[in-house]
Amino acid sequence: MNDRRNDEVNADAIYIAINGMEPAPQGSKRHVGGGRLIEASKRVKPWRQAVAASAQQQMKDQKAELLTCACSVSVVFRFRRPKAHFTTNGQLKAAAPKHCVVKRNDIDKCCRSTLDALSETVFADDCLVVSMKAEKRYCFGSEQPGALITVIGLQ
């Protein structure tokens, strides 16, 4: 499947794909004493590491430099469908929801964890992001969970 089916290919864009891992929302932090706060979700750190590793590799492959200008980010988050959405023979049920509206993966919190992972990897700081387009959906067919990210520097 073409990962960039909805976007025009832009020579200056940085395209990052994270495959095989469910996106993790960055939610609340919890206090552990001594003024220290840690992430409440154990899924956030591995997600951020996967995004940062994919981004670093793509930056190296494209010989791209860290963006220090305003930029635009587009993200498509892909999630596995629950088993309850399928019949016993593996077919998608007619009554299965079309859109990914599960409560535990808020799109704004998924964006937050992803932008934090891209900071100091693709762009100097996530405050440089002036435009953001985000979508969350279920995986199609045998597609793996993950995310497709496009970052474009705005000169």
Side-chain angles (χ1 to χ4, degrees), residues 3-7 16-19 21 23 47 73-79 107 110-111 114 132-140 143-150:
D3 286 346
R4 301 181 202 133
R5 63 185 156 46
N6 291 327
D7 295 326
I16 304 158
I18 298 88
N19 296 307
M21 176 180 275
W47 172 251
V73 177
S74 173
V75 187
V76 177
F77 297 106
R78 301 180 317 251
F79 294 93
I107 197 166
C110 287
C111 288
T114 303
M132 176 98 193
K133 177 184 174 192
E135 172 187 349
K136 70 176 185 175
R137 64 171 174 80
Y138 288 119
C139 296
F140 299 127
E143 187 178 41
Q144 293 182 332
L148 302 173
I149 305 166
T150 304

Short mmCIF file of all heavy atoms in Angstrom, two decimals, residues 3-7 16-19 21 23 47 73-79 107 110-111 114 132-140 143-150:
data_model
loop_
_atom_site.label_atom_id
_atom_site.label_comp_id
_atom_site.label_asym_id
_atom_site.label_seq_id
_atom_site.Cartn_x
_atom_site.Cartn_y
_atom_site.Cartn_z
N ASP A 3 2.06 4.55 1.18
CA ASP A 3 1.94 5.28 2.43
C ASP A 3 1.54 6.74 2.22
O ASP A 3 1.05 7.37 3.12
CB ASP A 3 3.26 5.23 3.22
CG ASP A 3 3.49 3.87 3.84
OD1 ASP A 3 2.54 3.08 3.89
OD2 ASP A 3 4.63 3.61 4.26
N ARG A 4 1.76 7.29 1.04
CA ARG A 4 1.50 8.70 0.81
C ARG A 4 0.32 8.89 -0.14
O ARG A 4 0.32 9.79 -0.94
CB ARG A 4 2.74 9.37 0.24
CG ARG A 4 3.91 9.26 1.16
CD ARG A 4 5.11 9.96 0.56
NE ARG A 4 6.30 9.42 1.18
CZ ARG A 4 7.35 9.03 0.53
NH1 ARG A 4 7.41 9.13 -0.77
NH2 ARG A 4 8.38 8.54 1.17
N ARG A 5 -0.70 8.07 -0.04
CA ARG A 5 -1.78 8.09 -1.01
C ARG A 5 -2.58 9.38 -1.02
O ARG A 5 -3.13 9.75 -2.02
CB ARG A 5 -2.70 6.89 -0.82
CG ARG A 5 -3.39 6.86 0.51
CD ARG A 5 -4.17 5.58 0.64
NE ARG A 5 -4.44 5.16 1.96
CZ ARG A 5 -4.88 5.85 2.98
NH1 ARG A 5 -5.07 7.07 2.88
NH2 ARG A 5 -5.13 5.32 4.14
N ASN A 6 -2.64 10.13 0.09
CA ASN A 6 -3.44 11.34 0.13
C ASN A 6 -2.61 12.62 0.03
O ASN A 6 -3.16 13.69 -0.06
CB ASN A 6 -4.28 11.38 1.42
CG ASN A 6 -5.36 10.34 1.41
OD1 ASN A 6 -5.89 10.01 0.37
ND2 ASN A 6 -5.67 9.80 2.57
N ASP A 7 -1.31 12.52 0.12
CA ASP A 7 -0.46 13.70 0.09
C ASP A 7 0.29 13.76 -1.23
O ASP A 7 0.69 12.75 -1.77
CB ASP A 7 0.59 13.65 1.21
CG ASP A 7 -0.02 13.72 2.59
OD1 ASP A 7 -1.05 14.40 2.72
OD2 ASP A 7 0.53 13.09 3.51
N ILE A 16 8.03 10.12 7.45
CA ILE A 16 8.43 9.18 8.50
C ILE A 16 7.31 8.16 8.67
O ILE A 16 6.14 8.53 8.81
CB ILE A 16 8.67 9.92 9.83
CG1 ILE A 16 9.71 11.02 9.63
CG2 ILE A 16 9.08 8.96 10.93
CD1 ILE A 16 9.66 12.12 10.67
N ALA A 17 7.68 6.88 8.68
CA ALA A 17 6.71 5.80 8.90
C ALA A 17 7.11 5.01 10.14
O ALA A 17 8.26 4.61 10.28
CB ALA A 17 6.64 4.89 7.69
N ILE A 18 6.16 4.81 11.02
CA ILE A 18 6.35 3.95 12.19
C ILE A 18 5.38 2.79 12.00
O ILE A 18 4.17 3.01 11.90
CB ILE A 18 6.06 4.68 13.52
CG1 ILE A 18 7.03 5.85 13.72
CG2 ILE A 18 6.20 3.73 14.69
CD1 ILE A 18 6.57 7.12 13.14
N ASN A 19 5.91 1.59 11.91
CA ASN A 19 5.08 0.41 11.65
C ASN A 19 5.27 -0.63 12.74
O ASN A 19 6.37 -0.84 13.24
CB ASN A 19 5.46 -0.21 10.29
CG ASN A 19 5.15 0.72 9.15
OD1 ASN A 19 4.04 1.21 9.02
ND2 ASN A 19 6.14 1.00 8.31
N MET A 21 3.71 -0.79 15.76
CA MET A 21 3.50 -0.37 17.15
C MET A 21 2.30 0.57 17.20
O MET A 21 2.19 1.49 16.40
CB MET A 21 4.74 0.35 17.67
CG MET A 21 4.57 0.91 19.06
SD MET A 21 6.04 1.75 19.65
CE MET A 21 6.95 0.36 20.28
N PRO A 23 0.17 3.64 18.28
CA PRO A 23 0.48 4.97 18.80
C PRO A 23 0.06 5.07 20.27
O PRO A 23 -0.95 4.49 20.67
CB PRO A 23 -0.37 5.90 17.93
CG PRO A 23 -0.56 5.14 16.66
CD PRO A 23 -0.67 3.71 17.08
N TRP A 47 6.78 4.35 22.47
CA TRP A 47 6.26 5.02 21.28
C TRP A 47 7.18 6.17 20.88
O TRP A 47 7.57 6.30 19.73
CB TRP A 47 4.83 5.54 21.51
CG TRP A 47 4.34 6.39 20.38
CD1 TRP A 47 4.14 7.73 20.40
CD2 TRP A 47 4.04 5.96 19.05
NE1 TRP A 47 3.72 8.17 19.16
CE2 TRP A 47 3.65 7.09 18.32
CE3 TRP A 47 4.06 4.72 18.40
CZ2 TRP A 47 3.29 7.04 16.98
CZ3 TRP A 47 3.70 4.67 17.06
CH2 TRP A 47 3.31 5.81 16.36
N VAL A 73 2.97 19.89 10.09
CA VAL A 73 3.03 18.45 10.36
C VAL A 73 1.69 17.81 10.04
O VAL A 73 0.63 18.35 10.39
CB VAL A 73 3.39 18.17 11.85
CG1 VAL A 73 3.40 16.67 12.14
CG2 VAL A 73 4.73 18.78 12.21
N SER A 74 1.75 16.69 9.36
CA SER A 74 0.56 15.89 9.06
C SER A 74 0.81 14.49 9.58
O SER A 74 1.88 13.92 9.36
CB SER A 74 0.35 15.86 7.54
OG SER A 74 -0.69 14.98 7.22
N VAL A 75 -0.16 13.93 10.32
CA VAL A 75 0.00 12.60 10.91
C VAL A 75 -1.26 11.78 10.68
O VAL A 75 -2.37 12.27 10.87
CB VAL A 75 0.24 12.67 12.44
CG1 VAL A 75 0.58 11.29 12.99
CG2 VAL A 75 1.30 13.66 12.81
N VAL A 76 -1.05 10.53 10.28
CA VAL A 76 -2.15 9.56 10.22
C VAL A 76 -1.79 8.45 11.21
O VAL A 76 -0.80 7.74 11.02
CB VAL A 76 -2.32 8.96 8.80
CG1 VAL A 76 -3.43 7.91 8.80
CG2 VAL A 76 -2.62 10.06 7.79
N PHE A 77 -2.56 8.36 12.29
CA PHE A 77 -2.37 7.31 13.28
C PHE A 77 -3.21 6.10 12.90
O PHE A 77 -4.39 6.24 12.58
CB PHE A 77 -2.80 7.80 14.67
CG PHE A 77 -2.00 8.94 15.20
CD1 PHE A 77 -2.53 10.22 15.24
CD2 PHE A 77 -0.71 8.76 15.66
CE1 PHE A 77 -1.80 11.29 15.74
CE2 PHE A 77 0.04 9.81 16.15
CZ PHE A 77 -0.51 11.08 16.19
N ARG A 78 -2.59 4.92 12.92
CA ARG A 78 -3.29 3.68 12.56
C ARG A 78 -3.38 2.77 13.79
O ARG A 78 -2.37 2.51 14.44
CB ARG A 78 -2.55 2.94 11.45
CG ARG A 78 -2.40 3.75 10.18
CD ARG A 78 -1.64 2.95 9.13
NE ARG A 78 -0.50 2.24 9.65
CZ ARG A 78 0.77 2.54 9.41
NH1 ARG A 78 1.07 3.57 8.65
NH2 ARG A 78 1.75 1.83 9.91
N PHE A 79 -4.59 2.30 14.07
CA PHE A 79 -4.83 1.42 15.21
C PHE A 79 -5.43 0.09 14.76
O PHE A 79 -6.18 0.04 13.78
CB PHE A 79 -5.81 2.08 16.20
CG PHE A 79 -5.24 3.32 16.84
CD1 PHE A 79 -5.47 4.57 16.29
CD2 PHE A 79 -4.49 3.23 17.99
CE1 PHE A 79 -4.95 5.72 16.87
CE2 PHE A 79 -3.97 4.36 18.59
CZ PHE A 79 -4.20 5.61 18.03
N ILE A 107 -6.87 11.83 20.00
CA ILE A 107 -5.99 12.28 18.92
C ILE A 107 -5.04 13.39 19.37
O ILE A 107 -3.88 13.43 18.99
CB ILE A 107 -6.81 12.69 17.67
CG1 ILE A 107 -5.92 12.74 16.44
CG2 ILE A 107 -7.56 13.98 17.91
CD1 ILE A 107 -6.70 12.81 15.14
N CYS A 110 -2.22 11.80 21.31
CA CYS A 110 -1.32 11.08 20.40
C CYS A 110 -0.40 12.08 19.68
O CYS A 110 0.79 11.82 19.51
CB CYS A 110 -2.11 10.25 19.39
SG CYS A 110 -2.89 8.78 20.08
N CYS A 111 -0.97 13.22 19.30
CA CYS A 111 -0.17 14.27 18.66
C CYS A 111 0.90 14.78 19.62
O CYS A 111 2.05 14.99 19.23
CB CYS A 111 -1.05 15.42 18.21
SG CYS A 111 -2.08 15.04 16.79
N THR A 114 3.79 12.35 19.92
CA THR A 114 4.52 12.26 18.66
C THR A 114 5.35 13.52 18.41
O THR A 114 6.52 13.43 18.03
CB THR A 114 3.53 12.02 17.50
OG1 THR A 114 2.81 10.82 17.78
CG2 THR A 114 4.25 11.88 16.17
N MET A 132 -1.00 21.86 11.90
CA MET A 132 -1.05 20.44 12.23
C MET A 132 -2.32 19.83 11.67
O MET A 132 -3.41 20.38 11.87
CB MET A 132 -1.02 20.30 13.76
CG MET A 132 -1.16 18.91 14.28
SD MET A 132 0.47 18.30 14.65
CE MET A 132 0.13 16.58 14.84
N LYS A 133 -2.17 18.72 10.97
CA LYS A 133 -3.32 17.96 10.48
C LYS A 133 -3.16 16.55 11.03
O LYS A 133 -2.10 15.93 10.87
CB LYS A 133 -3.34 17.93 8.96
CG LYS A 133 -4.47 17.10 8.39
CD LYS A 133 -4.40 17.01 6.89
CE LYS A 133 -5.47 16.06 6.39
NZ LYS A 133 -5.26 15.71 5.00
N ALA A 134 -4.17 16.04 11.71
CA ALA A 134 -4.08 14.71 12.31
C ALA A 134 -5.34 13.91 12.01
O ALA A 134 -6.44 14.45 11.95
CB ALA A 134 -3.87 14.82 13.81
N GLU A 135 -5.13 12.62 11.83
CA GLU A 135 -6.21 11.68 11.55
C GLU A 135 -5.91 10.40 12.31
O GLU A 135 -4.75 10.00 12.43
CB GLU A 135 -6.26 11.40 10.05
CG GLU A 135 -7.20 10.32 9.63
CD GLU A 135 -7.07 9.96 8.14
OE1 GLU A 135 -6.39 10.69 7.38
OE2 GLU A 135 -7.63 8.92 7.76
N LYS A 136 -6.95 9.78 12.85
CA LYS A 136 -6.76 8.45 13.42
C LYS A 136 -7.78 7.53 12.77
O LYS A 136 -8.91 7.92 12.51
CB LYS A 136 -6.85 8.44 14.95
CG LYS A 136 -8.21 8.68 15.55
CD LYS A 136 -8.14 8.55 17.06
CE LYS A 136 -9.53 8.69 17.66
NZ LYS A 136 -9.54 8.45 19.09
N ARG A 137 -7.30 6.33 12.48
CA ARG A 137 -8.17 5.38 11.79
C ARG A 137 -7.74 3.97 12.13
O ARG A 137 -6.67 3.74 12.68
CB ARG A 137 -8.12 5.59 10.28
CG ARG A 137 -6.75 5.34 9.66
CD ARG A 137 -6.84 5.36 8.15
NE ARG A 137 -5.56 5.26 7.50
CZ ARG A 137 -4.88 4.12 7.32
NH1 ARG A 137 -5.35 2.98 7.77
NH2 ARG A 137 -3.72 4.12 6.69
N TYR A 138 -8.61 3.02 11.77
CA TYR A 138 -8.26 1.62 11.92
C TYR A 138 -7.39 1.18 10.75
O TYR A 138 -7.48 1.74 9.65
CB TYR A 138 -9.52 0.75 11.97
CG TYR A 138 -10.30 0.90 13.25
CD1 TYR A 138 -11.61 1.36 13.24
CD2 TYR A 138 -9.73 0.57 14.48
CE1 TYR A 138 -12.33 1.48 14.42
CE2 TYR A 138 -10.44 0.70 15.66
CZ TYR A 138 -11.74 1.16 15.62
OH TYR A 138 -12.46 1.28 16.77
N CYS A 139 -6.56 0.18 10.98
CA CYS A 139 -5.72 -0.39 9.92
C CYS A 139 -6.61 -1.01 8.85
O CYS A 139 -7.67 -1.56 9.15
CB CYS A 139 -4.80 -1.47 10.50
SG CYS A 139 -3.61 -0.86 11.69
N PHE A 140 -6.16 -0.93 7.62
CA PHE A 140 -6.84 -1.59 6.50
C PHE A 140 -6.22 -2.95 6.29
O PHE A 140 -4.98 -3.06 6.20
CB PHE A 140 -6.70 -0.78 5.21
CG PHE A 140 -7.28 0.60 5.27
CD1 PHE A 140 -6.51 1.71 4.93
CD2 PHE A 140 -8.59 0.82 5.65
CE1 PHE A 140 -7.03 2.99 4.97
CE2 PHE A 140 -9.13 2.09 5.70
CZ PHE A 140 -8.35 3.19 5.36
N GLU A 143 -2.53 -4.21 7.06
CA GLU A 143 -1.71 -3.05 7.42
C GLU A 143 -1.37 -3.09 8.91
O GLU A 143 -2.18 -3.48 9.74
CB GLU A 143 -2.52 -1.80 7.09
CG GLU A 143 -1.79 -0.51 7.24
CD GLU A 143 -2.67 0.67 6.85
OE1 GLU A 143 -3.86 0.71 7.20
OE2 GLU A 143 -2.14 1.58 6.19
N GLN A 144 -0.16 -2.69 9.24
CA GLN A 144 0.28 -2.68 10.63
C GLN A 144 -0.12 -1.38 11.32
O GLN A 144 -0.22 -0.34 10.68
CB GLN A 144 1.80 -2.81 10.70
CG GLN A 144 2.33 -4.13 10.23
CD GLN A 144 3.85 -4.19 10.38
OE1 GLN A 144 4.53 -3.18 10.32
NE2 GLN A 144 4.36 -5.39 10.56
N PRO A 145 -0.31 -1.44 12.64
CA PRO A 145 -0.56 -0.20 13.37
C PRO A 145 0.69 0.67 13.35
O PRO A 145 1.79 0.18 13.10
CB PRO A 145 -0.88 -0.67 14.80
CG PRO A 145 -0.26 -2.02 14.90
CD PRO A 145 -0.26 -2.61 13.52
N GLY A 146 0.52 1.94 13.60
CA GLY A 146 1.65 2.85 13.60
C GLY A 146 1.22 4.25 13.20
O GLY A 146 0.11 4.67 13.51
N ALA A 147 2.08 4.93 12.47
CA ALA A 147 1.77 6.29 12.04
C ALA A 147 2.56 6.64 10.79
O ALA A 147 3.64 6.13 10.56
CB ALA A 147 2.11 7.29 13.14
N LEU A 148 1.96 7.51 10.00
CA LEU A 148 2.62 8.10 8.84
C LEU A 148 2.70 9.59 9.10
O LEU A 148 1.69 10.24 9.37
CB LEU A 148 1.81 7.85 7.57
CG LEU A 148 1.53 6.39 7.23
CD1 LEU A 148 0.58 6.28 6.07
CD2 LEU A 148 2.82 5.69 6.93
N ILE A 149 3.91 10.11 9.09
CA ILE A 149 4.13 11.51 9.47
C ILE A 149 4.80 12.25 8.31
O ILE A 149 5.75 11.72 7.70
CB ILE A 149 5.04 11.60 10.72
CG1 ILE A 149 4.45 10.78 11.87
CG2 ILE A 149 5.28 13.04 11.12
CD1 ILE A 149 5.41 10.54 13.01
N THR A 150 4.31 13.44 8.02
CA THR A 150 4.93 14.29 7.01
C THR A 150 5.23 15.63 7.69
O THR A 150 4.36 16.24 8.30
CB THR A 150 3.98 14.54 5.82
OG1 THR A 150 3.58 13.28 5.28
CG2 THR A 150 4.66 15.36 4.74
#
